[in-house]
Amino acid sequence: MKKLVGGNWKECCSKDTFKFLGRLREEQFAGLDAFIAVPSIYIAQARHEFPAFLRIAAQDVGRHEAGTYTGEVSAAMLRENAVEYAIIGHSERRTHFGESSQMVAQKLKQCLQHGLRPVLCVGETADCRSAGTHIEFLHEQLRDSLGGCSDSSVDIAYEPLWAIGSVLGAGVAQIQEVAEHIHDWMASYGVSGRVLYGGAVTEKNVTSIIAIRSIDGVLVGNASLGEEFGAIAHKVRAAACGKSSN
Ligand code: PGA
């Protein structure tokens, strides 16, 4: 499977953010899967202005098929509008909007039913990590977020809450430990897909992250808002050539 480089513009972009995309180079992304998740209001602009090597992703998906759910955007609507990936269960949705893993499981089901490729985020808090219970916590979060969706194709992003928006992000040993567990859990649930890392990924640290054997890509927040995103993709490419894929 190709390495994946995903961006997430969160609520941090404007119409002008698209301008830097014209300065990305196709060769930086050659042989990779790449997307940027935009707020729904910018999907139409993304359809016009994204270069061919970038897929459009949603930052969230409604958990119902359709109906009287003011403000929601369904998986079917996203697919109708050329969206190919959807981030679900991001910690900012879980923390600020009260999303439970059960709600995330409904969203996952909608994605799979409508052919949207889900990128499911899991991650522990700093307290959980210092208590040494992160592996149990993550297993539970993954199991509950997957719901009954075994035998499916889902990319899983490990995004520790304490690393998102931080200066350094998580260390290589910390990422490796969790990524290996995630691969094992995916196998036990019959889930195929890539394991990504997210949390302060930059041009400076991406080479050591992608060198981790069980990491198949990165999810980039802040550094996806400018040309650094192209530099990150370029380094993922370069490093991926030097290791066998999982
Ligand atoms: P960050 O965000 O790269 O700005 O830390 C990552 C994320 O939230 O996916």
Side-chain angles (χ1 to χ4, degrees), residues 80-225:
E80 240 180 17
N81 285 280
V83 175
E84 293 183 44
Y85 287 85
I87 295 175
I88 54 169
H90 191 285
S91 63
E92 288 153 14
R93 303 277 337 151
R94 294 178 189 262
T95 306
H96 304 307
F97 301 95
E99 275 187 18
S100 64
S101 290
Q102 288 69 27
M103 288 157 78
V104 174
Q106 289 178 289
K107 294 177 178 210
L108 182 74
K109 197 169 160 204
Q110 285 300 314
C111 288
L112 295 171
Q113 271 174 6
H114 291 279
L116 255 186
R117 187 163 181 101
V119 178
L120 168 63
C121 299
V122 295
E124 81 285 358
T125 61
D127 284 350
C128 175
R129 182 162 274 269
S130 23
T133 52
H134 57 286
I135 294 298
E136 292 80 1
F137 172 84
L138 288 165
H139 187 196
E140 203 174 295
Q141 195 177 47
L142 187 72
R143 185 199 60 209
D144 294 348
S145 303
L146 284 172
C149 295
S150 50
D151 294 324
S152 50
S153 196
V154 182
D155 295 321
I156 313 264
Y158 171 51
E159 299 208 312
L161 274 64
W162 47 273
I164 294 174
S166 69
V167 179
L168 290 176
V172 164
Q174 293 169 318
I175 300 171
Q176 179 165 348
E177 181 205 24
V178 172
E180 281 170 9
H181 277 285
I182 294 178
H183 270 294
D184 289 348
W185 296 329
M186 287 166 82
S188 70
Y189 289 111
V191 171
S192 61
R194 292 165 283 206
V195 176
L196 318 177
Y197 167 75
V201 174
T202 63
E203 186 185 354
K204 289 198 176 77
N205 63 16
V206 70
T207 301
S208 56
I209 294 167
I210 204 70
I212 300 170
R213 214 190 158 286
S214 36
I215 285 293
D216 311 305
V218 286
L219 188 54
V220 186
N222 192 44
S224 70
L225 288 157

Side-chain angles (χ1 to χ4, degrees), residues 12-28:
C12 301
C13 61
S14 69
K15 280 182 150 182
D16 285 347
T17 309
F18 287 76
K19 285 183 183 156
F20 85 86
L21 297 175
R23 295 190 293 275
L24 297 178
R25 284 174 288 112
E26 187 164 5
E27 66 264 22
Q28 293 174 312

